Amino acid sequence: MTIPTATIGYNPMVGDMQATIVGWDTWVWATGDTPREVTVTATAGATTATITATAKRLTLQPKDGTAKCTGFGVPWSQDNDSRGTDCKIIFNRSSAHFKDSVTPVDVKVSYAIEYTASDGATGTMDTHTTSTTTTIPVAEIQTLNTRPTTEP
């Protein structure tokens, strides 16, 4: 059985670099390339066995930020914005100090594996974890706050 590594999408995506912003909630979600469940069946002689690997959630570890992910995330849209997401990162600095000005994010998915066989055998196997590192550009927005005054 081969389980592909996870791929993610994110929002916001600002400017030409499609950067997210320091200090803002960055929505993250598993894209369609990330399987939630993988099943394979094989037969040897008179016995057929089925192995099912089931994922519980994404695990995200950004280099300069904090991630909270209890599921697979919800793709951002105008409609989903008010509903929220179960997977986000808050970056605490821009990507300017990283190679190619992008922040590395480690992405992992752990799969619980169970098997059943036509001869009545059932059980579990060791957890399998896929991992990859992706990158997200993070920009910083600078502002100047001034107090209104009536002075010339």
Side-chain angles (χ1 to χ4, degrees):
M1 172 185 297
T2 301
I3 302 174
T5 57
T7 55
I8 60 171
Y10 67 93
N11 193 70
M13 296 173 74
V14 178
D16 293 340
M17 287 187 57
Q18 300 294 286
T20 189
I21 307 298
V22 170
W24 286 24
D25 286 352
T26 299
W27 285 37
V28 179
W29 60 89
T31 65
D33 298 335
T34 306
R36 308 278 172 92
E37 185 174 279
V38 178
T39 300
V40 66
T41 301
T43 301
T47 303
T48 300
T50 300
I51 298 174
T52 303
T54 306
K56 299 295 182 208
R57 66 182 173 94
L58 283 174
T59 301
L60 303 170
Q61 296 173 323
K63 295 298 181 210
D64 280 338
T66 304
K68 182 176 182 183
C69 200
T70 59
F72 286 92
V74 175
W76 187 89
S77 69
Q78 291 277 340
D79 291 337
N80 287 340
D81 190 57
S82 63
R83 295 181 189 114
T85 184
D86 61 359
C87 202
K88 62 185 171 184
I89 299 173
I90 298 175
F91 291 96
N92 52 26
R93 66 186 293 193
S94 80
S95 299
H97 65 289
F98 284 115
K99 182 180 187 279
D100 299 325
S101 295
V102 290
T103 299
V105 178
D106 295 331
V107 181
K108 297 180 183 179
V109 179
S110 293
Y111 291 85
I113 302 175
E114 297 179 340
Y115 64 88
T116 60
S118 60
D119 65 0
T122 63
T124 61
M125 300 172 77
D126 291 341
T127 299
H128 176 75
T129 300
T130 64
S131 62
T132 189
T133 299
T134 191
T135 56
I136 297 177
V138 182
E140 183 175 65
I141 296 176
Q142 306 240 339
T143 61
L144 177 62
N145 291 324
T146 61
R147 189 175 354 178
T149 180
T150 56
E151 296 177 24

